[in-house]
Amino acid sequence: MHYFLIKIFSWLYVISAISPIAIIFLLRLQHYVWAISIFLFALIYSNIFLKFCSKNFGDERAECDLVEIAEPKFVPMYIAYFVIALSIDDGNLCLFLIIFSGIFILVQRCKFSLFNPFVLFGFSFYEVSIKNNTGTNYKIFLISRQNIKNINELSNLIRLNDFTFLEKGRDE
């Protein structure tokens, strides 16, 4: 039951991350109250979810080669969300739900990094190249309250999905 609840809360986090599509679609239809409600839910839920995770989890470690700021790489992705939401015909709720569901499944099931624009306040986003003794090199997406400039080992990591981690703060 505990695993199921965590999965549900993680899905809500993904939904909040891709909710700009819904917000833009609703604004285009002039449903301002719904758009503002979804915006506020996504903003509040995203930050509460990360705060909860950072207090209750955090036992993974990783050695890293390189740390890069990641925010600029995700701007094109959100521009694509705007284009998608604006290109759907007015009132075509069925098409909107199909596209929204497809994006949700892609983000949830594929090797996507999970960038959530609603946690920009107080968090920084990094791409971290991981050292691996097996010869496999890969990058993870790291969400942190810290300003990471030079680090060899990351500890107290919380896994949000296979390639997205939250760093539990040193002061938490």
Side-chain angles (χ1 to χ4, degrees), residues 78-108:
Y78 280 90
I79 290 172
Y81 283 2
F82 285 95
V83 171
I84 290 168
L86 291 173
S87 66
I88 299 172
D89 292 334
D90 290 345
N92 196 341
L93 185 61
C94 184
L95 179 60
F96 168 76
L97 291 174
I98 291 169
I99 291 171
F100 191 86
S101 299
I103 291 172
F104 173 80
I105 291 167
L106 285 173
V107 170
Q108 186 66 28

PDB file of all heavy atoms in Angstrom, residues 78-108:
ATOM      1  N   TYR A  78       9.379  23.451 -23.000  1.00  0.00           N
ATOM      2  CA  TYR A  78       8.176  24.171 -22.594  1.00  0.00           C
ATOM      3  C   TYR A  78       7.637  25.057 -23.703  1.00  0.00           C
ATOM      4  O   TYR A  78       6.438  25.305 -23.753  1.00  0.00           O
ATOM      5  CB  TYR A  78       8.415  24.926 -21.282  1.00  0.00           C
ATOM      6  CG  TYR A  78       8.275  23.927 -20.164  1.00  0.00           C
ATOM      7  CD1 TYR A  78       9.359  23.210 -19.710  1.00  0.00           C
ATOM      8  CD2 TYR A  78       7.029  23.612 -19.657  1.00  0.00           C
ATOM      9  CE1 TYR A  78       9.218  22.241 -18.747  1.00  0.00           C
ATOM     10  CE2 TYR A  78       6.866  22.636 -18.701  1.00  0.00           C
ATOM     11  CZ  TYR A  78       7.965  21.954 -18.246  1.00  0.00           C
ATOM     12  OH  TYR A  78       7.815  20.975 -17.318  1.00  0.00           O
ATOM     13  N   ILE A  79       8.478  25.486 -24.597  1.00  0.00           N
ATOM     14  CA  ILE A  79       7.983  26.177 -25.786  1.00  0.00           C
ATOM     15  C   ILE A  79       7.147  25.199 -26.614  1.00  0.00           C
ATOM     16  O   ILE A  79       6.091  25.559 -27.141  1.00  0.00           O
ATOM     17  CB  ILE A  79       9.141  26.776 -26.604  1.00  0.00           C
ATOM     18  CG1 ILE A  79       9.744  27.945 -25.825  1.00  0.00           C
ATOM     19  CG2 ILE A  79       8.664  27.233 -27.975  1.00  0.00           C
ATOM     20  CD1 ILE A  79      11.015  28.506 -26.422  1.00  0.00           C
ATOM     21  N   ALA A  80       7.594  23.949 -26.696  1.00  0.00           N
ATOM     22  CA  ALA A  80       6.817  22.921 -27.409  1.00  0.00           C
ATOM     23  C   ALA A  80       5.454  22.725 -26.746  1.00  0.00           C
ATOM     24  O   ALA A  80       4.442  22.548 -27.434  1.00  0.00           O
ATOM     25  CB  ALA A  80       7.587  21.608 -27.445  1.00  0.00           C
ATOM     26  N   TYR A  81       5.399  22.761 -25.415  1.00  0.00           N
ATOM     27  CA  TYR A  81       4.119  22.643 -24.718  1.00  0.00           C
ATOM     28  C   TYR A  81       3.181  23.774 -25.123  1.00  0.00           C
ATOM     29  O   TYR A  81       1.994  23.556 -25.337  1.00  0.00           O
ATOM     30  CB  TYR A  81       4.324  22.685 -23.207  1.00  0.00           C
ATOM     31  CG  TYR A  81       4.841  21.414 -22.580  1.00  0.00           C
ATOM     32  CD1 TYR A  81       5.149  20.283 -23.337  1.00  0.00           C
ATOM     33  CD2 TYR A  81       5.022  21.339 -21.214  1.00  0.00           C
ATOM     34  CE1 TYR A  81       5.616  19.136 -22.743  1.00  0.00           C
ATOM     35  CE2 TYR A  81       5.491  20.181 -20.607  1.00  0.00           C
ATOM     36  CZ  TYR A  81       5.789  19.092 -21.380  1.00  0.00           C
ATOM     37  OH  TYR A  81       6.239  17.953 -20.783  1.00  0.00           O
ATOM     38  N   PHE A  82       3.712  24.995 -25.203  1.00  0.00           N
ATOM     39  CA  PHE A  82       2.883  26.133 -25.604  1.00  0.00           C
ATOM     40  C   PHE A  82       2.353  25.934 -27.022  1.00  0.00           C
ATOM     41  O   PHE A  82       1.182  26.161 -27.292  1.00  0.00           O
ATOM     42  CB  PHE A  82       3.679  27.446 -25.538  1.00  0.00           C
ATOM     43  CG  PHE A  82       3.888  27.954 -24.151  1.00  0.00           C
ATOM     44  CD1 PHE A  82       5.045  27.657 -23.451  1.00  0.00           C
ATOM     45  CD2 PHE A  82       2.927  28.739 -23.538  1.00  0.00           C
ATOM     46  CE1 PHE A  82       5.239  28.132 -22.172  1.00  0.00           C
ATOM     47  CE2 PHE A  82       3.109  29.217 -22.256  1.00  0.00           C
ATOM     48  CZ  PHE A  82       4.273  28.910 -21.568  1.00  0.00           C
ATOM     49  N   VAL A  83       3.227  25.491 -27.913  1.00  0.00           N
ATOM     50  CA  VAL A  83       2.822  25.285 -29.310  1.00  0.00           C
ATOM     51  C   VAL A  83       1.734  24.212 -29.396  1.00  0.00           C
ATOM     52  O   VAL A  83       0.740  24.381 -30.100  1.00  0.00           O
ATOM     53  CB  VAL A  83       4.044  24.921 -30.187  1.00  0.00           C
ATOM     54  CG1 VAL A  83       3.622  24.485 -31.576  1.00  0.00           C
ATOM     55  CG2 VAL A  83       5.004  26.093 -30.252  1.00  0.00           C
ATOM     56  N   ILE A  84       1.919  23.123 -28.670  1.00  0.00           N
ATOM     57  CA  ILE A  84       0.926  22.041 -28.678  1.00  0.00           C
ATOM     58  C   ILE A  84      -0.416  22.554 -28.159  1.00  0.00           C
ATOM     59  O   ILE A  84      -1.456  22.352 -28.776  1.00  0.00           O
ATOM     60  CB  ILE A  84       1.405  20.843 -27.836  1.00  0.00           C
ATOM     61  CG1 ILE A  84       2.566  20.136 -28.527  1.00  0.00           C
ATOM     62  CG2 ILE A  84       0.260  19.862 -27.584  1.00  0.00           C
ATOM     63  CD1 ILE A  84       3.271  19.136 -27.652  1.00  0.00           C
ATOM     64  N   ALA A  85      -0.378  23.227 -27.023  1.00  0.00           N
ATOM     65  CA  ALA A  85      -1.626  23.698 -26.422  1.00  0.00           C
ATOM     66  C   ALA A  85      -2.331  24.724 -27.300  1.00  0.00           C
ATOM     67  O   ALA A  85      -3.553  24.748 -27.375  1.00  0.00           O
ATOM     68  CB  ALA A  85      -1.358  24.289 -25.049  1.00  0.00           C
ATOM     69  N   LEU A  86      -1.574  25.562 -27.981  1.00  0.00           N
ATOM     70  CA  LEU A  86      -2.178  26.582 -28.829  1.00  0.00           C
ATOM     71  C   LEU A  86      -2.665  26.022 -30.164  1.00  0.00           C
ATOM     72  O   LEU A  86      -3.508  26.617 -30.812  1.00  0.00           O
ATOM     73  CB  LEU A  86      -1.194  27.729 -29.070  1.00  0.00           C
ATOM     74  CG  LEU A  86      -0.899  28.589 -27.838  1.00  0.00           C
ATOM     75  CD1 LEU A  86       0.212  29.574 -28.140  1.00  0.00           C
ATOM     76  CD2 LEU A  86      -2.148  29.299 -27.355  1.00  0.00           C
ATOM     77  N   SER A  87      -2.137  24.875 -30.573  1.00  0.00           N
ATOM     78  CA  SER A  87      -2.520  24.324 -31.872  1.00  0.00           C
ATOM     79  C   SER A  87      -3.780  23.461 -31.816  1.00  0.00           C
ATOM     80  O   SER A  87      -4.332  23.109 -32.850  1.00  0.00           O
ATOM     81  CB  SER A  87      -1.366  23.519 -32.472  1.00  0.00           C
ATOM     82  OG  SER A  87      -1.118  22.380 -31.684  1.00  0.00           O
ATOM     83  N   ILE A  88      -4.241  23.122 -30.624  1.00  0.00           N
ATOM     84  CA  ILE A  88      -5.453  22.314 -30.491  1.00  0.00           C
ATOM     85  C   ILE A  88      -6.663  23.216 -30.732  1.00  0.00           C
ATOM     86  O   ILE A  88      -6.774  24.288 -30.149  1.00  0.00           O
ATOM     87  CB  ILE A  88      -5.530  21.658 -29.098  1.00  0.00           C
ATOM     88  CG1 ILE A  88      -4.335  20.725 -28.890  1.00  0.00           C
ATOM     89  CG2 ILE A  88      -6.841  20.891 -28.935  1.00  0.00           C
ATOM     90  CD1 ILE A  88      -4.216  20.193 -27.483  1.00  0.00           C
ATOM     91  N   ASP A  89      -7.559  22.769 -31.593  1.00  0.00           N
ATOM     92  CA  ASP A  89      -8.759  23.553 -31.901  1.00  0.00           C
ATOM     93  C   ASP A  89      -9.544  23.857 -30.634  1.00  0.00           C
ATOM     94  O   ASP A  89      -9.588  23.047 -29.700  1.00  0.00           O
ATOM     95  CB  ASP A  89      -9.664  22.797 -32.876  1.00  0.00           C
ATOM     96  CG  ASP A  89      -9.047  22.678 -34.249  1.00  0.00           C
ATOM     97  OD1 ASP A  89      -8.222  23.539 -34.606  1.00  0.00           O
ATOM     98  OD2 ASP A  89      -9.396  21.717 -34.960  1.00  0.00           O
ATOM     99  N   ASP A  90     -10.199  25.000 -30.641  1.00  0.00           N
ATOM    100  CA  ASP A  90     -11.023  25.401 -29.501  1.00  0.00           C
ATOM    101  C   ASP A  90     -12.061  24.329 -29.189  1.00  0.00           C
ATOM    102  O   ASP A  90     -12.783  23.875 -30.065  1.00  0.00           O
ATOM    103  CB  ASP A  90     -11.750  26.717 -29.788  1.00  0.00           C
ATOM    104  CG  ASP A  90     -10.786  27.893 -29.818  1.00  0.00           C
ATOM    105  OD1 ASP A  90      -9.640  27.737 -29.354  1.00  0.00           O
ATOM    106  OD2 ASP A  90     -11.184  28.964 -30.304  1.00  0.00           O
ATOM    107  N   GLY A  91     -12.107  23.943 -27.940  1.00  0.00           N
ATOM    108  CA  GLY A  91     -13.141  23.019 -27.503  1.00  0.00           C
ATOM    109  C   GLY A  91     -12.909  21.569 -27.846  1.00  0.00           C
ATOM    110  O   GLY A  91     -13.753  20.732 -27.549  1.00  0.00           O
ATOM    111  N   ASN A  92     -11.800  21.220 -28.477  1.00  0.00           N
ATOM    112  CA  ASN A  92     -11.539  19.828 -28.835  1.00  0.00           C
ATOM    113  C   ASN A  92     -10.919  19.124 -27.631  1.00  0.00           C
ATOM    114  O   ASN A  92      -9.732  18.815 -27.601  1.00  0.00           O
ATOM    115  CB  ASN A  92     -10.632  19.747 -30.062  1.00  0.00           C
ATOM    116  CG  ASN A  92     -10.658  18.372 -30.681  1.00  0.00           C
ATOM    117  OD1 ASN A  92     -11.056  17.398 -30.044  1.00  0.00           O
ATOM    118  ND2 ASN A  92     -10.219  18.292 -31.922  1.00  0.00           N
ATOM    119  N   LEU A  93     -11.741  18.886 -26.633  1.00  0.00           N
ATOM    120  CA  LEU A  93     -11.286  18.297 -25.381  1.00  0.00           C
ATOM    121  C   LEU A  93     -10.752  16.883 -25.577  1.00  0.00           C
ATOM    122  O   LEU A  93      -9.778  16.493 -24.928  1.00  0.00           O
ATOM    123  CB  LEU A  93     -12.433  18.298 -24.361  1.00  0.00           C
ATOM    124  CG  LEU A  93     -12.081  17.833 -22.965  1.00  0.00           C
ATOM    125  CD1 LEU A  93     -11.017  18.725 -22.353  1.00  0.00           C
ATOM    126  CD2 LEU A  93     -13.316  17.796 -22.094  1.00  0.00           C
ATOM    127  N   CYS A  94     -11.338  16.133 -26.465  1.00  0.00           N
ATOM    128  CA  CYS A  94     -10.887  14.761 -26.718  1.00  0.00           C
ATOM    129  C   CYS A  94      -9.437  14.742 -27.213  1.00  0.00           C
ATOM    130  O   CYS A  94      -8.616  13.991 -26.701  1.00  0.00           O
ATOM    131  CB  CYS A  94     -11.813  14.087 -27.721  1.00  0.00           C
ATOM    132  SG  CYS A  94     -11.406  12.363 -28.025  1.00  0.00           S
ATOM    133  N   LEU A  95      -9.132  15.590 -28.195  1.00  0.00           N
ATOM    134  CA  LEU A  95      -7.759  15.672 -28.704  1.00  0.00           C
ATOM    135  C   LEU A  95      -6.802  16.137 -27.615  1.00  0.00           C
ATOM    136  O   LEU A  95      -5.701  15.602 -27.473  1.00  0.00           O
ATOM    137  CB  LEU A  95      -7.691  16.610 -29.910  1.00  0.00           C
ATOM    138  CG  LEU A  95      -6.311  16.805 -30.535  1.00  0.00           C
ATOM    139  CD1 LEU A  95      -5.758  15.476 -31.033  1.00  0.00           C
ATOM    140  CD2 LEU A  95      -6.377  17.831 -31.652  1.00  0.00           C
ATOM    141  N   PHE A  96      -7.243  17.118 -26.824  1.00  0.00           N
ATOM    142  CA  PHE A  96      -6.398  17.599 -25.727  1.00  0.00           C
ATOM    143  C   PHE A  96      -6.083  16.462 -24.753  1.00  0.00           C
ATOM    144  O   PHE A  96      -4.937  16.289 -24.349  1.00  0.00           O
ATOM    145  CB  PHE A  96      -7.071  18.754 -24.988  1.00  0.00           C
ATOM    146  CG  PHE A  96      -6.389  19.075 -23.694  1.00  0.00           C
ATOM    147  CD1 PHE A  96      -5.190  19.773 -23.695  1.00  0.00           C
ATOM    148  CD2 PHE A  96      -6.906  18.647 -22.488  1.00  0.00           C
ATOM    149  CE1 PHE A  96      -4.535  20.039 -22.519  1.00  0.00           C
ATOM    150  CE2 PHE A  96      -6.257  18.904 -21.300  1.00  0.00           C
ATOM    151  CZ  PHE A  96      -5.071  19.610 -21.312  1.00  0.00           C
ATOM    152  N   LEU A  97      -7.079  15.692 -24.355  1.00  0.00           N
ATOM    153  CA  LEU A  97      -6.866  14.603 -23.401  1.00  0.00           C
ATOM    154  C   LEU A  97      -5.947  13.526 -23.963  1.00  0.00           C
ATOM    155  O   LEU A  97      -5.118  12.962 -23.238  1.00  0.00           O
ATOM    156  CB  LEU A  97      -8.206  13.998 -22.971  1.00  0.00           C
ATOM    157  CG  LEU A  97      -9.076  14.906 -22.102  1.00  0.00           C
ATOM    158  CD1 LEU A  97     -10.429  14.259 -21.854  1.00  0.00           C
ATOM    159  CD2 LEU A  97      -8.381  15.240 -20.792  1.00  0.00           C
ATOM    160  N   ILE A  98      -6.061  13.239 -25.254  1.00  0.00           N
ATOM    161  CA  ILE A  98      -5.174  12.255 -25.888  1.00  0.00           C
ATOM    162  C   ILE A  98      -3.737  12.753 -25.866  1.00  0.00           C
ATOM    163  O   ILE A  98      -2.811  12.014 -25.494  1.00  0.00           O
ATOM    164  CB  ILE A  98      -5.642  11.946 -27.323  1.00  0.00           C
ATOM    165  CG1 ILE A  98      -6.957  11.170 -27.295  1.00  0.00           C
ATOM    166  CG2 ILE A  98      -4.570  11.181 -28.093  1.00  0.00           C
ATOM    167  CD1 ILE A  98      -7.638  11.044 -28.639  1.00  0.00           C
ATOM    168  N   ILE A  99      -3.525  14.003 -26.236  1.00  0.00           N
ATOM    169  CA  ILE A  99      -2.170  14.562 -26.248  1.00  0.00           C
ATOM    170  C   ILE A  99      -1.608  14.643 -24.832  1.00  0.00           C
ATOM    171  O   ILE A  99      -0.454  14.257 -24.585  1.00  0.00           O
ATOM    172  CB  ILE A  99      -2.158  15.948 -26.928  1.00  0.00           C
ATOM    173  CG1 ILE A  99      -2.433  15.783 -28.420  1.00  0.00           C
ATOM    174  CG2 ILE A  99      -0.842  16.671 -26.696  1.00  0.00           C
ATOM    175  CD1 ILE A  99      -2.657  17.078 -29.168  1.00  0.00           C
ATOM    176  N   PHE A 100      -2.411  15.117 -23.886  1.00  0.00           N
ATOM    177  CA  PHE A 100      -1.958  15.224 -22.500  1.00  0.00           C
ATOM    178  C   PHE A 100      -1.587  13.848 -21.949  1.00  0.00           C
ATOM    179  O   PHE A 100      -0.545  13.682 -21.320  1.00  0.00           O
ATOM    180  CB  PHE A 100      -3.058  15.871 -21.637  1.00  0.00           C
ATOM    181  CG  PHE A 100      -2.597  16.250 -20.264  1.00  0.00           C
ATOM    182  CD1 PHE A 100      -1.983  17.469 -20.044  1.00  0.00           C
ATOM    183  CD2 PHE A 100      -2.780  15.388 -19.186  1.00  0.00           C
ATOM    184  CE1 PHE A 100      -1.552  17.833 -18.774  1.00  0.00           C
ATOM    185  CE2 PHE A 100      -2.351  15.743 -17.922  1.00  0.00           C
ATOM    186  CZ  PHE A 100      -1.741  16.967 -17.709  1.00  0.00           C
ATOM    187  N   SER A 101      -2.424  12.844 -22.219  1.00  0.00           N
ATOM    188  CA  SER A 101      -2.141  11.475 -21.757  1.00  0.00           C
ATOM    189  C   SER A 101      -0.877  10.929 -22.404  1.00  0.00           C
ATOM    190  O   SER A 101      -0.070  10.276 -21.739  1.00  0.00           O
ATOM    191  CB  SER A 101      -3.322  10.555 -22.075  1.00  0.00           C
ATOM    192  OG  SER A 101      -4.475  10.995 -21.429  1.00  0.00           O
ATOM    193  N   GLY A 102      -0.705  11.194 -23.699  1.00  0.00           N
ATOM    194  CA  GLY A 102       0.499  10.731 -24.386  1.00  0.00           C
ATOM    195  C   GLY A 102       1.761  11.342 -23.805  1.00  0.00           C
ATOM    196  O   GLY A 102       2.759  10.645 -23.584  1.00  0.00           O
ATOM    197  N   ILE A 103       1.733  12.631 -23.523  1.00  0.00           N
ATOM    198  CA  ILE A 103       2.903  13.288 -22.925  1.00  0.00           C
ATOM    199  C   ILE A 103       3.147  12.751 -21.519  1.00  0.00           C
ATOM    200  O   ILE A 103       4.288  12.493 -21.132  1.00  0.00           O
ATOM    201  CB  ILE A 103       2.724  14.823 -22.931  1.00  0.00           C
ATOM    202  CG1 ILE A 103       2.777  15.330 -24.373  1.00  0.00           C
ATOM    203  CG2 ILE A 103       3.792  15.506 -22.087  1.00  0.00           C
ATOM    204  CD1 ILE A 103       2.436  16.788 -24.536  1.00  0.00           C
ATOM    205  N   PHE A 104       2.083  12.538 -20.762  1.00  0.00           N
ATOM    206  CA  PHE A 104       2.222  11.967 -19.414  1.00  0.00           C
ATOM    207  C   PHE A 104       2.901  10.603 -19.473  1.00  0.00           C
ATOM    208  O   PHE A 104       3.833  10.333 -18.723  1.00  0.00           O
ATOM    209  CB  PHE A 104       0.855  11.850 -18.735  1.00  0.00           C
ATOM    210  CG  PHE A 104       0.904  11.129 -17.420  1.00  0.00           C
ATOM    211  CD1 PHE A 104       1.328  11.784 -16.283  1.00  0.00           C
ATOM    212  CD2 PHE A 104       0.556   9.788 -17.330  1.00  0.00           C
ATOM    213  CE1 PHE A 104       1.398  11.120 -15.063  1.00  0.00           C
ATOM    214  CE2 PHE A 104       0.610   9.115 -16.134  1.00  0.00           C
ATOM    215  CZ  PHE A 104       1.029   9.784 -14.992  1.00  0.00           C
ATOM    216  N   ILE A 105       2.441   9.752 -20.368  1.00  0.00           N
ATOM    217  CA  ILE A 105       3.025   8.411 -20.489  1.00  0.00           C
ATOM    218  C   ILE A 105       4.486   8.492 -20.925  1.00  0.00           C
ATOM    219  O   ILE A 105       5.336   7.776 -20.386  1.00  0.00           O
ATOM    220  CB  ILE A 105       2.193   7.548 -21.461  1.00  0.00           C
ATOM    221  CG1 ILE A 105       0.833   7.236 -20.829  1.00  0.00           C
ATOM    222  CG2 ILE A 105       2.923   6.260 -21.834  1.00  0.00           C
ATOM    223  CD1 ILE A 105      -0.190   6.661 -21.784  1.00  0.00           C
ATOM    224  N   LEU A 106       4.792   9.362 -21.879  1.00  0.00           N
ATOM    225  CA  LEU A 106       6.182   9.513 -22.311  1.00  0.00           C
ATOM    226  C   LEU A 106       7.090   9.959 -21.173  1.00  0.00           C
ATOM    227  O   LEU A 106       8.182   9.418 -20.980  1.00  0.00           O
ATOM    228  CB  LEU A 106       6.281  10.517 -23.463  1.00  0.00           C
ATOM    229  CG  LEU A 106       5.824  10.030 -24.821  1.00  0.00           C
ATOM    230  CD1 LEU A 106       5.808  11.178 -25.819  1.00  0.00           C
ATOM    231  CD2 LEU A 106       6.717   8.900 -25.310  1.00  0.00           C
ATOM    232  N   VAL A 107       6.650  10.945 -20.416  1.00  0.00           N
ATOM    233  CA  VAL A 107       7.466  11.443 -19.306  1.00  0.00           C
ATOM    234  C   VAL A 107       7.588  10.390 -18.219  1.00  0.00           C
ATOM    235  O   VAL A 107       8.664  10.182 -17.659  1.00  0.00           O
ATOM    236  CB  VAL A 107       6.886  12.756 -18.736  1.00  0.00           C
ATOM    237  CG1 VAL A 107       7.574  13.156 -17.447  1.00  0.00           C
ATOM    238  CG2 VAL A 107       7.001  13.877 -19.754  1.00  0.00           C
ATOM    239  N   GLN A 108       6.508   9.711 -17.922  1.00  0.00           N
ATOM    240  CA  GLN A 108       6.498   8.731 -16.828  1.00  0.00           C
ATOM    241  C   GLN A 108       7.263   7.458 -17.166  1.00  0.00           C
ATOM    242  O   GLN A 108       7.963   6.918 -16.337  1.00  0.00           O
ATOM    243  CB  GLN A 108       5.046   8.383 -16.472  1.00  0.00           C
ATOM    244  CG  GLN A 108       4.898   7.508 -15.270  1.00  0.00           C
ATOM    245  CD  GLN A 108       5.348   8.178 -13.990  1.00  0.00           C
ATOM    246  OE1 GLN A 108       5.306   9.381 -13.852  1.00  0.00           O
ATOM    247  NE2 GLN A 108       5.810   7.392 -13.051  1.00  0.00           N
TER     248      GLN A 108
END
